Amino acid sequence: MRPNLPPVAVADRITRLRASLAAEGADAILVTRLPNVRYLTGFTGSAGLLLVTVEDAIFVTDGRYREQAGEQLDAAGATIEIGIGVAEGDQREHLRRVVARAGVRRLLLEAHGVSWAQARSYDEEWFPEVEVVAGPPIVEQLRMVKEPGEIERIRAACAIADDALDALLPRLGDGITERGFALALEVAMRERGADGNSFDPIVASGPNGAKPHARPSERVVERGELVVIDFGCIVDGYCSDMTRTVSVGEPSPEARRMWEVVRESQAVGRDAVIAGVEAAAVDRACREVIEAAGWGEAFAHGTGHGVGIEIHEDPRVSRISGATLTVGHVVTVEPGVYLPGIGGVRLEDTVAVTADGCDPLTAFPKHLVI
């Protein structure tokens, strides 16, 4: 099911990062978070550091990735020097020489991506002659606005998830367990071309659905109860995210009313997504519908989040979010109601923000009874 995907413009991302460096009054940044390393270089391995200075970009990794690093960085079209060192000490000395050569005086660390011990090590052992400071999430800020190639990868991941769910929904009436259905979803998405899960699937039936992030159990899905199914997959590094809530046969009147209220809330929230709107306003639109139904306290989480290389990215869509949506943001809209002893309902789409509304990337229909 994987289509021919358009290229992504990795080569110019470091140039845009340098503009952010200048705004922070820094001479360089050490990128340590692997999702950010991938975004800037195309490298998909499990170990690597990227030092970006005003003029240079130097990537270091260990000997396991000697060939892979060269191939992936070349394919991305990024002009990056590659230093291979089997030992951490080799990488440290290589980067220290580069910092000295570039005349770096102020070096940013990804404050949200390093531990206290790592920060002290970079300051005292790696770069003792440089002012090492905690930096803001400037790479994540670049990542918030997706280019067309990124959106198409998310769309492809959403399409795989849509098709997998369509094929498997009838099995909910066959006495399958939550865990069994979650495993079947994982396999079905892999069979359709996914690289993996974007997170562990949530399959929560009956009273388990009242826990928004319930883990699939050995509980058998019963007729007439709500089943919350929240899942997604990865295509070429980009995630999808979707939730549907269904019932095998007719649910109770209260369960049906829960579903209908959440369905209205989710539709209102999706309609509120447009470039220029505050993310908090989208959250408020969803929340007002649920509050009017008397379940305001049962909507116990934010309305959504950004999606991309990571399953949870900025901008957040919540009542405390300070973000304003813009063209190229990809966010979820996922209100929910959770009533202990009865169950839960959550409905979620992933959408791309456009100038005149939003482009739904998830296409699976919303229906309660199967």
Side-chain angles (χ1 to χ4, degrees):
M1 285 190 60
R2 292 180 64 146
N4 292 323
L5 298 170
V8 290
V10 173
D12 70 342
R13 292 173 177 171
I14 288 177
T15 300
R16 291 189 281 124
L17 176 60
R18 288 192 176 108
S20 298
L21 273 182
E24 294 296 324
D27 305 303
I29 181 172
L30 183 66
V31 182
T32 52
R33 293 197 66 234
L34 287 172
N36 290 341
V37 171
R38 177 170 188 160
Y39 177 77
L40 294 167
T41 69
F43 176 72
T44 64
S46 63
L49 302 172
L50 178 68
L51 177 71
V52 178
T53 71
V54 174
E55 296 184 351
D56 297 316
I58 298 87
F59 173 78
V60 295
T61 186
D62 61 53
R64 294 172 297 167
Y65 295 112
R66 183 184 304 274
E67 296 300 319
Q68 178 180 330
E71 292 170 357
Q72 290 184 326
L73 271 63
D74 283 347
T79 305
I80 301 173
E81 178 185 335
I82 300 177
I84 303 292
V86 174
E88 180 183 276
D90 296 336
Q91 298 175 35
R92 180 177 62 207
E93 291 306 314
H94 186 77
L95 292 180
R96 182 181 292 171
R97 287 193 298 270
V98 172
V99 163
R101 180 182 73 203
V104 173
R105 292 169 296 176
R106 191 166 191 262
L107 172 69
L108 296 184
L109 294 182
E110 296 185 295
H112 54 298
V114 296
S115 67
W116 172 251
Q118 288 171 323
R120 293 189 63 183
S121 177
Y122 288 132
D123 185 21
E124 298 170 6
E125 300 173 20
W126 287 58
F127 310 110
E129 306 301 322
V130 174
E131 180 190 7
V132 177
V133 299
I138 56 179
V139 182
E140 284 83 355
Q141 289 165 8
L142 293 177
R143 284 170 45 193
M144 279 200 295
V145 177
K146 273 64 177 179
E147 61 191 76
E150 294 178 284
I151 292 174
E152 289 310 307
R153 282 158 174 77
I154 300 170
R155 191 191 308 276
C158 289
I160 286 174
D162 287 344
D163 194 68
L165 184 60
D166 184 54
L168 292 176
L169 266 185
R171 292 187 59 183
L172 285 176
D174 296 339
I176 196 169
T177 65
E178 295 172 346
R179 196 188 311 275
F181 193 79
L183 178 59
L185 272 176
E186 294 183 42
V187 172
M189 290 188 292
R190 284 278 196 173
E191 290 174 340
R192 287 158 174 78
D195 298 323
N197 298 327
S198 45
F199 57 95
D200 290 339
I202 296 168
V203 180
S205 60
N208 288 344
K211 296 174 280 189
H213 272 199
R215 293 178 178 272
S217 71
E218 293 300 331
R219 186 179 190 281
V220 174
V221 176
E222 302 290 345
R223 295 187 64 84
E225 62 184 16
L226 297 169
V227 187
V228 180
I229 307 166
D230 187 350
F231 68 109
C233 66
I234 301 171
V235 169
D236 198 26
Y238 286 82
C239 299
S240 71
D241 195 0
M242 176 174 69
T243 308
R244 295 293 184 263
T245 300
V246 298
S247 172
V248 181
E250 187 64 31
S252 70
E254 185 171 23
R256 173 171 282 281
R257 178 169 175 261
M258 287 169 61
W259 191 92
E260 290 172 348
V261 167
V262 174
R263 175 70 182 92
E264 180 185 354
S265 170
Q266 206 267 344
V268 168
R270 260 183 49 166
D271 288 345
V273 173
I274 187 172
V277 73
E278 293 180 351
V282 177
D283 179 272
R284 187 163 55 251
C286 288
R287 206 166 294 278
E288 286 174 351
V289 173
I290 292 174
E291 288 173 348
W295 286 322
E297 293 185 1
F299 181 8
H301 54 75
T303 288
H305 54 86
V307 177
I309 291 175
E310 295 178 280
I311 189 58
H312 292 111
E313 298 188 350
D314 288 334
R316 305 294 164 151
V317 183
S318 72
R319 67 174 81 199
I320 62 172
S321 176
T324 298
L325 300 182
T326 191
V327 173
H329 284 169
V330 174
V331 298
T332 65
V333 181
E334 49 178 307
V337 170
Y338 311 92
L339 301 181
I342 297 174
V345 176
R346 184 164 65 255
L347 295 170
E348 174 188 23
D349 289 318
T350 299
V351 303
V353 180
T354 66
D356 54 1
C358 70
D359 176 11
L361 306 180
T362 43
F364 194 82
K366 300 178 184 74
H367 50 256
L368 174 58
V369 178
I370 62 169

